[in-house]
Amino acid sequence: MTRLWYLIGLLLIVSGLVHLGVLVVDGGPWDGPVSFRKPFTFGVSFGLSVLSLTWVAQFVRLRRRDLLLGVFAMASVVEVALITVQAWRGVPSHFNMSTSVDALIARTLAAGGFALIAVVVLMTLSAFRRDPAAPTSMRLAVQAGFGTFLAAMAFGGIMIARGVVEVMAGSQQLAYTVAGSLKPAHAILMHGVLLLPALAWLLSRTQPSEQIRLRVVRLAIWIYITVSAIVSGLALFGITVVSPSTASVLCAGAISGLAIGALTLGTLLPRTQRHSLTGS
């Protein structure tokens, strides 16, 4: 089943990139609740998340691995599909109760979000189970990664809850403003589950000393948490240099880009260079 989850993740990313092209050609707005930005960002972000959890799951003593990954992958597909449908219809996807169809889609998106949170909670708990076979540096990286991912899901849940409250109070436009302000906090924490384990994996292929690997991973975790805390604090206080949508794309792009770079370097590093770096 692992190949299926990888395939789904890749297809979601392709879907997102296709809609980036549609956005460029269509010339529609970047910000706002009705934009092809949404299927682009959600497609790429959910695709990366499916790929990340599928890869990181190998480092976790996880019961019902395929079931949890399957629920996460299917929920991600539903989220991206419904967001995409609403973008093509030219109506908001979240907090939209204008018609019975829109209300059903909005409620399904909210339910899917909480299903994703439930899966992440279970996987985070599993990551903290003792595994004597795993190097301490990798175990710590995975635990911290899932911790930050869970924090991202918590911000997502808060965004949904705050938006729903405003919609129920009759302020749909305010719902988008209130929920959207937390996008940078959600985005910067979203892909640490890939970044930190990717760094630990790269170190395992280039650095023979587990003590040094552990120090580097700890330093990386503290740097990541500090930067995330600053971005999250600014988001909570509504302080932004650019729009929340742009800030979230920049944050997610920077974190996932570093992670992909670490994985690429570890994969492409010539065997002779690996030996020289490890001193073997």
Side-chain angles (χ1 to χ4, degrees):
M1 299 296 288
T2 299
R3 291 183 179 179
L4 177 59
W5 312 143
Y6 279 133
L7 177 60
I8 289 174
L10 289 173
L11 289 176
L12 288 174
I13 291 175
V14 169
S15 172
L17 294 176
V18 166
H19 283 90
L20 175 59
V22 172
L23 177 62
V24 172
V25 173
D26 181 68
W30 170 260
D31 291 306
V34 181
S35 169
F36 281 112
R37 179 205 81 252
K38 295 190 70 175
F40 157 56
T41 55
F42 276 86
V44 173
S45 183
F46 273 111
L48 283 172
S49 295
V50 171
L51 293 175
S52 299
L53 289 194
T54 303
W55 180 72
V56 174
Q58 66 182 304
F59 305 113
V60 179
R61 296 180 64 186
L62 193 61
R63 298 171 183 173
R64 298 184 177 89
R65 182 189 314 261
D66 283 333
L67 175 61
L68 290 176
L69 291 176
V71 170
F72 191 91
M74 292 301 105
S76 298
V77 169
V78 171
E79 295 281 303
V80 174
L82 291 180
I83 289 167
T84 302
V85 166
Q86 293 297 74
W88 281 100
R89 291 181 65 211
V91 297
S93 53
H94 294 80
F95 316 129
N96 184 1
M97 303 295 176
S98 14
T99 69
S100 57
V101 172
D102 292 323
L104 176 61
I105 289 176
R107 292 191 180 102
T108 302
L109 288 171
F114 286 109
L116 293 168
I117 292 173
V119 171
V120 173
V121 168
L122 292 174
M123 295 188 74
T124 302
L125 292 174
S126 298
F128 281 86
R129 288 178 184 155
R130 182 173 178 77
D131 184 4
T136 304
S137 56
M138 176 58 79
R139 187 166 67 248
L140 180 61
V142 170
Q143 291 171 350
F146 270 108
T148 58
F149 195 45
L150 186 59
M153 294 291 101
F155 272 110
I158 293 172
M159 290 164 65
I160 294 172
R162 291 177 68 180
V164 169
V165 168
E166 296 300 335
V167 168
M168 294 304 177
S171 304
Q172 184 172 346
Q173 189 56 48
L174 183 58
Y176 299 123
T177 303
V178 170
S181 65
L182 296 178
K183 286 179 182 178
H186 176 69
I188 197 168
L189 290 163
M190 189 85 172
H191 301 293
V193 70
L194 178 61
L195 173 62
L196 297 173
L199 173 62
W201 179 78
L202 173 62
L203 290 170
S204 71
R205 299 169 73 87
T206 58
Q207 176 53 248
S209 172
E210 170 61 11
Q211 186 176 12
I212 294 177
R213 293 200 298 262
L214 186 56
R215 288 177 182 174
V216 173
V217 168
R218 282 174 175 164
L219 177 62
I221 290 172
W222 279 113
I223 292 174
Y224 180 49
I225 290 176
T226 300
V227 173
S228 298
I230 292 172
V231 171
S232 300
L234 292 174
L236 287 169
F237 285 102
I239 302 172
T240 56
V241 178
V242 294
S243 70
S245 296
T246 302
S248 65
V249 170
L250 293 175
C251 289
I255 300 302
S256 57
L258 287 172
I260 293 171
L263 292 173
T264 302
L265 181 59
T267 302
L268 299 181
L269 194 64
R271 185 174 299 275
T272 54
Q273 188 174 351
R274 290 181 200 156
H275 289 171
S276 64
L277 285 170
T278 59
S280 55

